Amino acid sequence: MTADADDIRTRTRALLATHPPQHTPRLDFLRARFDAGLAWVHYPAGLGGLGAPRPLQAVADAELEAAGAPDNDPRRIGIGLGMAAPTLLAHGSDEVTHRFLRPLWVGEEVWCQLFSEPGAGSDLAALATRAVRDGDDWLVTGQKVWTSSAHLARWAILVARTDPGLPKHQGLTYFVCDMTDPGVEVRPLRQLTGEAEFNEVFLTGVRIPDRHRIGAVGEGWRVARTTLMNERVAIGGHRLPREGGMIGPVARTWRERPELRTHELHQRLLRLWVEAEAARLAAERLRQQLAAGQPGPEGSAMKLFLAGLNQEISALEVELRGPEGLLYDDWTMRRPELVDFTGRDAGYRYLRAKGNSIEGGTSEVLLNIIAERVLGLPSEPRDDKDIAWKDLAR
């Protein structure tokens, strides 16, 4: 029988009664929540859900929030929740989903995404990392780049080339890679901001069991598209309170520092404030579509818009502060778990926002997606579509 709102409410209150948040260790509570099917109610029973309609998640969340229940720190484990979990659910075997989803949701195991490569970032299908079958395993060799959380991750979703004799989109296969296995080397990638939030990952003969293959051999591009679609929705649909994003610090400065104001800056701030609020409300609509099981290409449009908006806001803040805006708080090499947009200086926000138009799919790629899948325009001419990857000029 499909659960309804009353059933979800009853189950949530039963969880709170047997595991009072104030007296239950955080991880124990999260494990109990997963086992009760209240982690993501639309997932199947046994995998953190109840097979219920997605919108009913809000019923459980409201009850849990009112009771002061702990959350599962979604920002720290955002790649696992936003990209790995829906991909594993859609394409993984029963063994894979039962092994990985519980520790992923609870946050016991952090995930990263081994997709981008030095010679294949925007054109992901051109990747060169190879996976060669060896008995019941695959041997993977190659290099990945711009990998968030690789220095924290236990597991990674990985796309590798398994048949270079096929055109580039057809010879790919999707795997789960153990980041603690021999042959995996993670090196910090120091950024413009001075910190190393991203990594390079070198894979040398890494042995991956075939049971950790996701989808059929050669179906890696189809599986990866599931990941990418969910990635853009996860980025574009991030929940924020009013003035909770990049617009917050500059709005506060405007209110607290009247000596910095000019008419021209006032006009620009007004426009950006309205756009930030429109983006916040549009993100809410995006989440509602996701809850209804209709993520669509709107996530790409929102991700594209937010990248430009953040860069405009951070530039305005530097201008508003004048020479003070050029100061930088700390160039010390650090490896943060999270991007701290609002806790650092204006100079940090200005530099870090430059990456918004690259990470999670470049703005140029997103423009193509919108043109082809939303507007229905003809695809760009591609002369590499039917040529074996090994014969392509590189």
Side-chain angles (χ1 to χ4, degrees):
M1 184 177 69
T2 301
D4 58 18
D6 288 341
D7 187 34
I8 296 292
R9 198 170 290 111
T10 300
R11 289 171 182 267
T12 307
R13 290 174 182 175
L15 170 69
L16 292 168
T18 56
H19 298 79
Q22 292 73 24
H23 305 291
T24 305
R26 177 176 174 275
L27 284 180
D28 288 347
F29 183 89
L30 293 174
R31 293 184 187 115
R33 178 177 169 181
F34 185 95
D35 295 340
L38 299 170
W40 34 45
V41 299
H42 55 289
Y43 273 37
L47 296 176
L50 298 166
R54 287 171 183 249
L56 294 183
Q57 184 67 54
V59 176
D61 290 347
E63 292 281 332
L64 293 166
E65 184 176 352
D71 66 28
N72 56 341
D73 196 5
R75 289 187 63 203
R76 179 173 175 269
I77 59 173
I79 293 174
L81 289 174
M83 295 79 158
T87 306
L88 298 180
L89 183 67
H91 302 283
S93 64
D94 288 346
E95 178 187 353
V96 162
T97 52
H98 281 87
R99 161 61 184 85
F100 291 120
L101 289 183
R102 188 173 188 254
L104 182 159
W105 188 87
V106 170
E108 294 173 295
E109 294 179 343
V110 176
W111 286 66
C112 66
Q113 182 171 317
L114 297 176
F115 277 23
S116 295
E117 297 189 4
S122 297
D123 186 10
L124 177 62
L127 62 84
T129 292
R130 290 290 313 277
V132 178
R133 189 70 186 253
D134 182 34
D136 293 332
D137 298 334
W138 294 83
L139 294 179
V140 179
T141 299
Q143 180 188 353
K144 300 291 181 175
V145 73
W146 301 116
T147 310
S148 306
S149 303
H151 55 296
L152 306 169
R154 167 62 200 280
W155 299 99
I157 44 179
L158 162 74
V159 182
R161 189 163 301 282
T162 48
D163 190 344
L166 292 174
K168 63 181 184 180
H169 289 87
Q170 300 175 27
L172 303 173
T173 303
Y174 200 108
F175 300 94
V176 170
C177 175
D178 187 340
M179 295 294 288
T180 66
D181 271 351
V184 178
E185 181 184 0
V186 178
R187 299 180 188 173
L189 192 61
R190 199 170 189 193
Q191 303 152 225
L192 181 64
T193 57
E195 58 191 9
E197 172 195 339
F198 298 97
N199 302 274
E200 295 177 294
V201 179
F202 294 83
L203 307 161
T204 306
V206 179
R207 189 170 288 277
I208 297 179
D210 187 58
R211 67 178 184 278
H212 285 179
R213 171 172 46 82
I214 308 299
V217 175
E219 291 290 318
W221 182 249
R222 185 172 69 89
V223 181
R225 287 184 61 175
T226 301
T227 306
L228 296 173
M229 183 179 67
N230 282 280
E231 178 181 32
R232 287 152 195 163
V233 171
I235 294 173
H238 185 59
R239 172 169 285 165
L240 289 172
R242 178 175 286 185
E243 293 191 3
M246 296 280 275
I247 197 66
V250 68
R252 284 194 295 276
T253 300
W254 182 267
R255 295 188 182 103
E256 296 168 359
R257 304 280 300 276
E259 74 277 10
L260 300 176
R261 300 173 185 169
T262 68
H263 176 72
E264 188 268 340
L265 290 175
H266 187 210
Q267 296 303 306
R268 286 169 59 191
L269 176 60
L270 282 177
R271 178 178 62 81
L272 293 174
W273 193 97
V274 170
E275 290 184 1
E277 182 63 7
R280 186 180 73 84
L281 297 174
E284 178 60 35
R285 181 180 178 185
L286 192 65
R287 285 192 298 276
Q288 291 174 3
Q289 287 181 300
L290 181 63
Q294 303 165 349
E298 292 86 351
S300 297
M302 180 60 73
K303 195 270 175 189
L304 174 69
F305 177 74
L306 287 175
L309 180 62
N310 283 344
Q311 290 165 4
E312 280 198 77
I313 293 173
S314 61
L316 173 65
E317 185 179 15
V318 169
E319 284 189 56
L320 173 64
R321 289 177 174 272
E324 176 190 332
L326 300 177
L327 299 176
Y328 201 81
D329 56 355
D330 187 3
W331 287 102
T332 303
M333 163 75 166
R334 289 183 284 187
R335 309 198 75 191
E337 292 188 15
L338 298 171
V339 181
D340 186 10
F341 276 116
T342 56
R344 300 281 299 274
D345 284 351
Y348 172 84
R349 282 187 282 278
Y350 178 76
L351 295 176
R352 181 59 184 81
K354 301 300 180 188
N356 288 171
S357 52
I358 301 172
E359 56 196 342
T362 67
S363 293
E364 289 75 13
V365 168
L366 299 179
L367 284 170
N368 271 354
I369 292 172
I370 293 167
E372 296 176 12
R373 299 183 200 168
V374 178
L375 303 178
L377 298 177
S379 301
E380 279 192 309
R382 293 171 181 157
D383 57 6
D384 60 354
K385 190 174 180 180
D386 300 317
I387 301 175
W389 177 83
K390 63 181 178 59
D391 296 327
L392 294 176
R394 288 187 289 277

